[in-house]
Amino acid sequence: MLQTAGDPENRPSVNLDILERAAARAAQGGADLLLAPEMFLTGYNIGREAAEAVAEPADGASAVRAAQIASTHNVALCYGYPERDAAGLIYNSALLLDRDGRQLLNFRKTHLFGDLDRAMFAPGAGTAEVAEVAGMKAGLLICYDVEFPEAVRALALNGADLVLVPTANMKPYDAVSLYIVPARAFESELFIAYANRCGSEGELDYMGLSCVGDPSGGNLVLAGDGEELVFADLTTEALERGRSLNTHMRDRLPEVYGRLVGSR
């Protein structure tokens, strides 16, 4: 995982340079997949006007460059960016590419956080899609999405072994890294990789603390508060061990949960 403040001027081309350097280091360290933060290409707290100006389609110029980075360094990539769809709507999105640069998933943030998100983005549909990458079935969420147990559980029910979460989480919400991510991993019997920003952006002070939640409980790794390339070994053996010890998925009672999906 790449924990970074990114380019201070929020230039996509410079952030792609940062991504390429990180991909080279990740590949040298034996990584199969590199996860970068939410809105990595452009900065997160940039406002509606800037988001509209820099938004790209999922197959735009930045995605083409990212595909080249993935194939050059033989490492799968997942990163956040502002997406413009054919109707002109702007989404807070994340793109997953395999190590050949082929697009696997494009996810649009579903649970928008406060006025900051709602002023810039339309909400995604939350389709809970999964794709095979680095030997595991992976799904995507973005930042606030992972704080909703239903979002992670929907991916688990679709067969996910791993949930990739680009995030831009700010102080004082360190409970997400310390408690919520590992709890979601434990209760849904999968890994959760949570790649955060660090540094500051406008009035936001990002906390870092990128982490990987373990299906057996706790975090496999937990970053500090600065720039860092974080490595974690996610094995099928650890996944199977967690699932053998943990019976939440087997012991679910969907028939008693109906009211949870009703309107407020």
Side-chain angles (χ1 to χ4, degrees), residues 28-80:
Q28 289 168 2
D32 297 309
L33 170 66
L34 175 63
L35 174 64
E38 179 179 10
M39 290 284 285
F40 167 75
L41 289 188
T42 61
Y44 170 57
N45 185 23
I46 60 175
R48 175 74 185 186
E49 185 175 341
E52 289 181 335
V54 296
E56 297 183 24
D59 59 355
S62 293
V64 171
R65 169 84 191 280
Q68 293 169 345
I69 293 170
S71 60
T72 297
H73 299 286
N74 196 33
V75 62
L77 297 175
C78 181
Y79 63 90

Side-chain angles (χ1 to χ4, degrees), residues 214-247:
D214 183 354
S216 294
N219 276 317
L220 286 178
V221 293
L222 179 66
D225 61 1
E227 298 265 348
E228 191 170 346
L229 189 62
V230 183
F231 289 83
D233 291 325
L234 311 185
T235 66
T236 54
E237 292 79 12
L239 190 64
E240 290 167 1
R241 182 169 60 252
R243 289 173 175 174
S244 70
L245 295 171
N246 187 337
T247 61

Side-chain angles (χ1 to χ4, degrees), residues 17-223:
D17 290 342
I18 293 171
L19 186 66
E20 177 143 34
R21 290 193 293 272
R25 290 175 56 204
Q28 289 168 2
D32 297 309
L33 170 66
L34 175 63
L35 174 64
E38 179 179 10
M39 290 284 285
F40 167 75
L41 289 188
T42 61
Y44 170 57
N45 185 23
I46 60 175
R48 175 74 185 186
E49 185 175 341
E52 289 181 335
V54 296
E56 297 183 24
D59 59 355
S62 293
V64 171
R65 169 84 191 280
Q68 293 169 345
I69 293 170
S71 60
T72 297
H73 299 286
N74 196 33
V75 62
L77 297 175
C78 181
Y79 63 90
Y81 74 104
E83 179 192 0
R84 183 190 304 277
D85 75 359
L89 293 174
I90 309 299
Y91 297 93
N92 182 338
S93 295
L95 188 63
L96 175 63
L97 308 171
D98 70 13
R99 62 200 317 158
D100 296 319
R102 182 171 59 96
Q103 292 193 14
L104 299 177
L105 294 174
N106 186 67
F107 176 80
R108 296 165 174 173
K109 188 174 185 179
T110 306
H111 300 85
L112 299 182
F113 180 75
D115 293 338
L116 194 158
D117 264 345
R118 294 186 185 101
M120 289 192 284
F121 307 116
T127 51
E129 295 176 280
V130 298
E132 187 84 22
V133 65
M136 291 190 174
K137 292 181 180 177
L140 306 183
L141 296 173
I142 297 174
C143 198
Y144 194 39
D145 288 322
V146 80
E147 299 177 38
F148 293 82
E150 300 90 344
V152 179
R153 182 55 56 82
L155 288 168
L157 291 172
N158 271 355
D161 304 311
L162 167 65
V163 180
L164 301 169
V165 188
T167 186
N169 197 14
M170 69 292 292
K171 297 175 182 178
Y173 300 111
D174 59 350
V176 180
S177 292
L178 299 178
Y179 308 115
I180 293 176
V181 167
R184 294 286 171 272
F186 181 70
E187 70 196 9
S188 283
E189 303 174 21
L190 39 67
F191 293 107
I192 300 178
Y194 185 82
N196 200 14
R197 290 181 165 271
C198 59
S200 59
E201 189 181 38
E203 73 281 10
L204 301 183
D205 189 8
Y206 299 117
M207 65 185 182
L209 299 182
S210 297
C211 62
V212 177
D214 183 354
S216 294
N219 276 317
L220 286 178
V221 293
L222 179 66

